[in-house]
Amino acid sequence: MTDGRIVLLTTTDRVAPGLLSFAAWDALRGADRVLCRDAAHPQLPYLADAGVSVETGAPELTDAPALVAACAGGRTVVVIAAADGEPLLTGGLAALAGSGRAAALPELELLPGSYDLPGARLIDLVQVMDRIRATCPWASTRTARDLARYGLEEMYELVEAIEAGDRTELREELGDVLLQVVFHAAIARDDPEAPDEAFDIDDVAAAIVAKLIRRHPHVFGGERAETADDVKALWLREKAAEKRRESVTDGVPLGQPGLALAAKLAARARTAGLDAALPGPADGFGHRLLALAAEAEAAGVDPETALRGAARAYRDAIRAAETGAAPGRTA
């Protein structure tokens, strides 16, 4: 048997306050009482603007029997949950229901008033990074140049997780790479040496969104692409129009690993239809490695990945040889 109704209304701080579902507004406007333990709850000013009266600090918020009594006669009480979800109150209601002492309990409804959107936890990451930058002696003094080597390390660790097929490591390494992006954006926003060139994480996101839209005219425009090669051709066309580069080698980072660099240059030349001769045999090992990288690229093989795979196999062979040479020894 039920008597009245208790609605526990939950909201998320990752959505702008006041943006509540229709069901939430309907419950709030139809309630006999609306209670909230947190007097600083971000929703309260918006509820006041909408004419919804909210009681803060009411004794029923920490006293389950009193809250049940407030619903007597078929009354509806809406409790706007604080960030902790009101564990004391819900625990008290559960204990009361299990005790059998209450002859009639109100109907209890959990009503989400707003939901996290996909990607909402990125807001948490930005907020955590901002707090760290503001209070941590190390993080608050870092520059983009200081972090450069960490970016390389994290990318190598990400590649290793991908090649190893380790999903747990992959998730962690993706987070580490994402941290680098957020960290660099926070530095760029606060950089006192370039105040006129400041940007933040929203600017970074806006730029990549605009780039993705431009380079996918078959998705966001009227172009057609039936195959992956069609997509690649559109991407390169749009990229060329954006960059207006004088050489196909412009934009190729020379600091990348040698095999990857050789394959990238070979790919640029091949895509552009250029018949550029490889350096002569007089260059010895460098020439031979370059020729192999170009050959692999033309065959659709990433030479850097292939060499890492071979190196891992060689590492395993070395460990096997060590074990065989010294029984009982672990690698």
Side-chain angles (χ1 to χ4, degrees):
M1 181 178 179
T2 61
D3 186 10
R5 180 171 168 238
I6 298 172
V7 178
L8 184 63
L9 180 65
T10 61
T11 59
T12 173
D13 60 1
R14 301 181 189 92
V15 175
L19 295 179
L20 300 176
S21 66
F22 176 83
W25 282 114
D26 189 52
L28 288 163
R29 291 194 169 108
D32 295 289
R33 294 175 68 187
V34 179
L35 312 180
C36 184
R37 179 167 54 90
D38 182 5
H41 197 291
Q43 297 289 349
L44 298 190
Y46 298 89
L47 299 184
D49 289 344
V52 176
S53 177
V54 181
E55 302 173 46
T56 58
E60 292 88 348
L61 287 164
T62 55
D63 187 342
L67 182 61
V68 169
C71 297
R75 291 164 61 85
T76 295
V77 177
V78 173
V79 177
I80 301 173
D84 61 5
E86 305 298 337
L88 182 62
L89 182 60
T90 55
L93 290 170
L96 187 61
S99 69
R101 296 195 306 270
L105 288 173
E107 176 187 352
L108 181 59
E109 177 184 354
L110 176 62
L111 177 60
S114 55
Y115 300 85
D116 284 348
L117 298 173
R121 297 309 298 268
L122 294 174
I123 297 173
D124 293 348
L125 175 57
V126 172
Q127 292 174 341
V128 168
M129 189 70 250
D130 285 347
R131 183 171 179 180
I132 291 173
R133 280 279 293 171
T135 60
C136 174
W138 183 85
S140 63
T141 57
R142 294 308 94 187
T143 66
R145 190 175 294 277
D146 293 334
L147 297 183
R149 67 182 181 92
Y150 299 112
L152 284 173
E153 290 173 4
E154 299 300 353
M155 283 305 305
Y156 282 131
E157 290 175 6
L158 172 60
V159 170
E160 184 174 349
I162 292 171
E163 293 179 347
D166 189 326
R167 302 285 292 183
T168 301
E169 282 295 313
L170 174 59
R171 180 176 61 183
E172 180 177 346
E173 298 306 336
L174 283 170
D176 289 343
V177 171
L178 181 58
L179 170 60
Q180 294 298 309
V181 174
V182 174
F183 203 162
H184 276 283
I187 291 172
R189 178 196 59 202
D190 303 329
D191 189 354
E193 296 183 5
D196 296 334
E197 300 176 355
F199 59 84
D200 60 16
I201 191 65
D202 287 321
D203 297 315
V204 173
I208 191 59
V209 166
K211 178 187 287 187
L212 287 172
I213 291 174
R214 284 195 312 270
R215 294 193 184 177
H216 289 79
H218 56 294
V219 176
F220 302 99
E223 299 282 359
R224 293 180 61 84
E226 303 294 339
T227 67
D229 286 340
D230 294 340
V231 173
K232 184 176 181 180
L234 287 173
W235 177 279
L236 292 174
R237 186 194 73 185
E238 296 300 322
K239 184 175 181 178
E242 291 171 21
K243 301 297 184 180
R244 300 185 182 279
R245 289 169 171 161
E246 296 180 358
S247 168
V248 296
T249 64
D250 290 346
V252 176
L254 299 180
Q256 61 184 303
L259 278 178
L261 172 60
K264 189 68 174 180
L265 291 171
R268 289 285 182 93
R270 182 175 56 80
T271 302
L274 298 173
D275 185 16
L278 295 173
D283 293 308
F285 288 107
H287 166 262
R288 290 158 60 189
L289 288 170
L290 175 60
L292 281 173
E295 181 182 347
E297 191 282 327
V301 175
D302 175 27
E304 192 73 29
T305 301
L307 180 58
R308 279 198 304 272
R312 282 196 298 272
Y314 185 43
R315 175 203 59 190
D316 294 341
I318 292 172
R319 288 179 172 177
E322 289 173 329
T323 303
R329 177 183 174 189
T330 57

